[in-house]
Amino acid sequence: MTALFESAAVRGLVAVLCAVICGHAGAQQPARFAPEISALAPPINHETGTISEVLTAQDSGFQQIGYVVRWRDSQVFVTGSLAAPQRVGENIDFMVYRSVAGSRKILRFAVNEPQSDASGDREEAESSHASVTSGGAPIEDTLIAENDGYRFVAYQVRWHGMRVMVVDPLQKSVYKIGDTINFRVLRSGAGEERLLAFALSD
């Protein structure tokens, strides 16, 4: 049963998880790990790739749009902007984030969205709410990318009849196609930025 949590603690949890999954964290966040990151792998890179698939999901007014993009020698999932959707075959500009959690080096990918004004941020924060629910489904496809010791893992599954990508934020999993995984469905935001995200459960 869907449970909606309005507490500030839950909103904070969802915000952090969405930042990890969607790549909306600010450029200063990875700087804490600078001593552990080599000169060949800066915390944030701006890159361009061609979209091979577009995945969209909607539920109760919340949405996600993301793109399967060729990056280096791998296919990766880039979280997109609801305000500026793109199509298969188009080039997309995105950011590559590198961070370290314990001994794990993590990659994530997201479209670089323009900064909103402070008053709009305050209004959105006051009206936003967040919820975390659970899901489970067999894996239909797997995306894995590695670069300079950093790693990205995501699993394509069917959720409510829609194809979505479940990201493994900490890169701990070793699942394969056909395995059933459990995941969290994250809903956050307000207005036109009511976002869905999907993260592998621990």
Side-chain angles (χ1 to χ4, degrees):
M1 181 174 64
T2 300
L4 183 64
F5 303 93
E6 295 293 346
S7 69
V10 171
R11 287 199 298 270
L13 170 64
V14 175
V16 169
L17 288 171
C18 284
V20 171
I21 300 165
C22 303
H24 291 168
Q28 296 302 316
Q29 182 178 352
R32 293 181 299 158
F33 306 112
E36 300 182 53
I37 297 176
S38 75
L40 297 177
I44 300 174
N45 278 359
H46 296 263
E47 303 206 20
T48 301
T50 302
I51 297 170
S52 58
E53 289 186 73
V54 179
L55 301 181
T56 60
Q58 299 184 31
D59 184 67
S60 302
F62 292 85
Q63 301 179 66
Q64 183 188 64
I65 184 167
Y67 308 101
V68 178
V69 176
R70 188 75 178 176
W71 180 74
R72 309 292 172 90
D73 295 324
S74 305
Q75 296 274 88
V76 300
F77 182 67
V78 178
T79 304
S81 167
L82 299 180
Q86 294 186 245
R87 296 176 294 184
V88 171
E90 292 182 340
N91 287 334
I92 185 170
D93 297 320
F94 58 94
M95 298 178 71
V96 182
Y97 295 83
R98 292 172 172 84
S99 60
V100 177
S103 62
R104 299 179 186 280
K105 295 182 175 182
I106 298 166
L107 284 170
R108 53 191 172 88
F109 306 86
V111 169
N112 184 18
E113 298 187 55
Q115 296 291 328
S116 55
D117 65 88
S119 62
D121 286 344
R122 284 196 300 270
E123 291 176 5
E124 181 175 324
E126 290 171 359
S127 61
S128 68
H129 64 278
S131 69
V132 182
T133 57
S134 299
I139 297 170
E140 296 184 349
D141 199 4
T142 302
L143 300 183
I144 298 175
E146 296 188 57
N147 179 254
D148 196 33
Y150 291 80
R151 196 164 184 260
F152 168 83
V153 178
Y155 302 106
Q156 181 186 298
V157 302
R158 293 273 174 180
W159 179 76
H160 294 183
M162 297 170 285
R163 292 186 305 147
V164 300
M165 284 291 179
V166 176
V167 175
D168 179 359
L170 299 180
Q171 320 304 331
K172 293 181 178 180
S173 60
V174 289
Y175 295 109
K176 60 184 182 299
I177 293 173
D179 290 345
T180 295
I181 56 172
N182 296 314
F183 51 89
R184 297 183 297 270
V185 182
L186 315 171
R187 299 172 179 84
S188 64
E192 296 182 357
E193 289 295 317
R194 294 161 63 90
L195 302 176
L196 271 178
F198 304 87
L200 190 71
S201 297
D202 294 337

